[in-house]
Amino acid sequence: MKTDQDSICEASSGNVFADMGLPEAEEEMTKAQLASAIRQVIRRRRLTQAAAASVMDIDQPKVSALLNGRLVNFSSERLMRLLTALGQDVEITVKAKPRSRAQGRIRVIGEARA
């Protein structure tokens, strides 16, 4: 029989990488969100990995890594360049943080369109 202690849940901060205590959690979250946008465009355009590789001017194994969330060899800047190669606009807005937050943050907002 399960007890209450067996089913303890902790609320997420909204960043799984920070919740896991990983270094550079905000950068990892940004990369994951950019990679997700790339996946959406590839899926909507119904591109094969080979076709996506050709459009983005990278090799197919890199597309495979990207689509499978292996982002170690991808910087945020590189992922943004891949999005532009796929015909997406990437906009960066810098603004003051609210007083209620101790630090500024980086967020990816919007939805990729094919």
Side-chain angles (χ1 to χ4, degrees):
M1 175 181 274
K2 284 191 168 194
T3 66
D4 286 340
Q5 290 180 348
D6 291 336
S7 59
I8 295 174
C9 293
E10 189 173 315
S12 173
S13 69
N15 182 335
V16 67
F17 303 103
D19 294 343
M20 293 173 21
L22 297 178
E24 304 295 328
E26 201 164 270
E27 171 70 7
E28 293 302 321
M29 183 66 160
T30 299
K31 287 170 42 175
Q33 291 171 318
L34 292 168
S36 178
I38 292 168
R39 280 191 294 278
Q40 288 175 26
V41 173
I42 290 171
R43 182 175 49 241
R44 283 194 185 115
R45 289 178 58 180
R46 297 176 188 211
L47 297 173
T48 63
Q49 287 187 12
S54 177
V55 170
M56 294 187 289
D57 197 26
I58 59 176
D59 59 23
Q60 181 276 325
K62 286 186 178 82
V63 175
S64 178
L66 177 63
L67 296 179
N68 287 298
R70 294 189 307 272
L71 304 176
V72 158
N73 295 315
F74 293 94
S75 66
S76 291
E77 181 181 355
R78 185 176 186 195
L79 293 169
M80 288 186 274
R81 282 196 313 268
L82 296 177
L83 279 165
T84 62
L86 288 166
Q88 303 300 294
D89 285 339
V90 176
E91 298 178 356
I92 298 172
T93 303
V94 178
K95 62 182 182 179
K97 69 164 187 62
R99 291 181 187 205
S100 60
R101 240 187 303 113
Q103 281 187 277
R105 68 179 177 199
I106 299 171
R107 294 188 319 158
V108 176
I109 300 173
E111 185 177 319
R113 299 277 181 201

